[in-house]
Amino acid sequence: MKRVVVLVEGQTEEALVDEVLAPAALARGVHLAPVIVITSATPAGARRGGGSWRHYDMRLRNLFKASHLHRVGLLIDYYQYPRGAPGCDVGGSGPARQSELMARLHKQYPDSRFRPLVVLHEIEALVLAAIDAGRGEGLIPARGLTRLRREIARAGGPERIDHGPSTAPSKRLLRADPGYLKTVTGPLLVAEAGLSAVLARCPTFAAWWEDLLS
């Protein structure tokens, strides 16, 4: 069985990989596991997620040393792309800048197994896709769902929902439901919608997913 790991930046991504992506990968003969970046360690324990790029760099280089791994993936948000990351000073916006960021990542880490994805614009785009697919009733207030679906349609799809302090996907979800739990509600909605329905609405993520499992 192929063994694949995906380095993720936070607990939301970790939960989505564990609860949604890993079971789908297993059905295709791939053992998929998330590895969450550790940004610091204190006597109280490790602090996980976010932080500067050096923590990702260290973890990636260690993963590339594992010869038994078939693929080494990376999931990182376009919004708040880490300081110090390859291409962080690249100008532009949207898919064009996303492509350039991923090109810079490949150049920095030329291992043939490396499969990075700079997610447009946050991993919560998958949750918006699940909502667009008809999920969310009973979990998100009806008025909030209506507004989110209208915003998705206006943008032209979940991956086109823009980034910013007040317009990023995660911020829109919190506006729709102040009680929204990123690590609970999000993965639950994606699982309920089904991965195929979500991927159909997130073509960039879908292309990365197929490449990761190939």
Side-chain angles (χ1 to χ4, degrees), residues 78 93-102 120-121 159-160 204:
Y78 179 98
S93 63
R97 183 170 185 264
Q98 177 208 34
S99 295
E100 182 59 28
L101 292 177
M102 291 200 294
L120 283 175
H121 283 93
E159 289 184 329
R160 294 179 177 271
T204 304

Side-chain angles (χ1 to χ4, degrees), residues 1 21-32 209 213:
M1 181 175 287
L21 300 183
L26 191 60
R28 294 173 59 173
V30 176
H31 182 274
L32 177 66
W209 172 246
L213 299 188

Side-chain angles (χ1 to χ4, degrees), residues 83-186:
R83 61 188 183 276
C88 65
D89 56 346
V90 168
S93 63
R97 183 170 185 264
Q98 177 208 34
S99 295
E100 182 59 28
L101 292 177
M102 291 200 294
R104 298 290 185 95
L105 284 165
H106 277 294
K107 183 177 181 180
Q108 183 75 19
Y109 306 100
D111 192 294
S112 62
R113 300 168 297 165
F114 188 37
R115 298 295 187 274
L117 177 63
V118 180
V119 182
L120 283 175
H121 283 93
E122 286 186 299
I123 197 68
E124 281 80 10
L126 301 185
V127 182
L128 294 179
I131 290 170
D132 190 52
R135 298 297 172 175
E137 282 76 7
L139 290 172
I140 293 177
R143 183 177 297 179
L145 285 176
T146 299
R147 182 168 63 247
L148 287 171
R149 288 173 181 143
R150 185 168 58 243
E151 291 172 352
I152 293 166
R154 186 184 305 128
E159 289 184 329
R160 294 179 177 271
I161 294 289
D162 59 357
H163 65 293
S166 62
T167 58
S170 60
K171 302 300 189 297
R172 294 175 190 254
L173 284 162
L174 280 171
R175 264 203 317 275
D177 178 12
Y180 177 80
L181 298 174
K182 295 176 67 173
T183 59
V184 178
T185 312

Side-chain angles (χ1 to χ4, degrees), residues 7 37-40 50-60:
L7 184 65
V37 69
I38 298 176
T39 57
S40 64
S52 69
W53 186 254
R54 65 187 180 90
H55 303 290
Y56 297 85
D57 177 78
M58 184 185 310
R59 198 62 164 135
L60 282 171

Side-chain angles (χ1 to χ4, degrees), residues 198-212:
V198 168
L199 294 179
R201 292 164 170 80
C202 297
T204 304
F205 195 97
W208 170 82
W209 172 246
E210 289 302 321
D211 192 27
L212 183 73

Side-chain angles (χ1 to χ4, degrees), residues 47 55 58 61 69 77 80 103 144 151 187 203 213-214:
R47 180 175 181 272
H55 303 290
M58 184 185 310
R61 294 187 186 280
L69 294 175
D77 290 342
Q80 295 185 329
E151 291 172 352
L213 299 188
S214 65

